[in-house]
Amino acid sequence: MVNINSVVIATGTHGNEFTGIYLGKKFEKFPNIIQRSSFETRVFLSNPKAFAAARRYIDKDLNRCFAKADLQNPQLASYEDILAKNIYYLLKEESKNQQQVLIDLHSSTANMQLTIILKSQHPFLLQLAAELSAINPDVRICYSQPIKESNYLCSISELGFTIEVGPVAQAVLNAELFQKTEALIYQVLDYIESYNQGVSKEQNRTLTFYQYTEVIDYPRNEDGEIQAMIHPQLQFRDYEPLNPGEPIFLTFDGNAIAYQGTSTVYPIFINEAAYYEKGIAMCLTQKKTLEI
Ligand SMILES: [Zn+2]
């Protein structure tokens, strides 16, 4: 594969995810720290208006606005729809004759640690994931195979991926997580530098990753109102095995509700604040390995 020419770090795709936003501001202030000799790196703030309001979005979730059909649909004219179209055409134009890596930086209220979410199994992305897993014990790799066409910002680039760091509350900075995220970005940039220089170790490795299988909503009544909370035994247990019969919810009366599945799964995004409105209490994954 040809060399990587540029890296774009998108921050604030959700305006209340401060870790990435303030890290991006630091990078803009000290651009030398993200420059490497073999490629250009730049940062952009995806949703400035949502950041100014310290909200996830103004009209709708920007990170669900990038399906091709939606980008081409002139009827879709909300603030985020127009923003998505502008970002898409800007990055497409910019990356015309370039091999561009697009990193979309998010944070989560769930205990996601340093999660890399891949939307494809492109060999470059798998090698990067294996390298990061090998050198950073907080890194977890998720693979979300798009059922239909992806509508995420990172899908603009063939070499796009999402980083989710947590747990951190919305519109809050956590210094430890900020520094861990910063170190992870440098590890990504350093890997790309060594890749371009042909010195990245093309060794055979086993990559452990977590593949999305389904989402689970909260128990709700006929009016759609939530009837139970995440069970305290499951809170912050992202990436830990959950077996059939183990409790996942606790009703307001104090009754445990068990996981009804038939096999062991690995829940992630447990009790993610932003997912209450999406009807998602957690995402279930299967733990898998891949020889690369
Ligand atoms: Zn986000």
Side-chain angles (χ1 to χ4, degrees), residues 13-14 16-17 56 61 63 104-108 162-164 272 274:
T13 300
H14 295 132
N16 57 4
E17 295 177 358
R56 183 173 172 87
D61 190 338
N63 207 27
D104 193 20
L105 204 41
H106 290 254
S107 64
S108 169
T162 302
I163 296 179
E164 285 280 357
E272 164 57 51

Side-chain angles (χ1 to χ4, degrees), residues 212 214-218 229-231 234 238 242 247-249 259 265-272 275 279-285:
Y212 281 69
E214 60 177 306
V215 298
I216 292 190
D217 191 10
Y218 294 91
M229 306 165 275
I230 295 293
H231 195 282
L234 189 63
D238 302 72
L242 172 70
I248 52 173
F249 296 115
Y259 172 56
V265 289
Y266 295 78
I268 62 171
F269 285 113
I270 297 168
N271 211 1
E272 164 57 51
Y275 287 175
I280 298 173
M282 69 195 79
C283 300
L284 302 185
T285 71

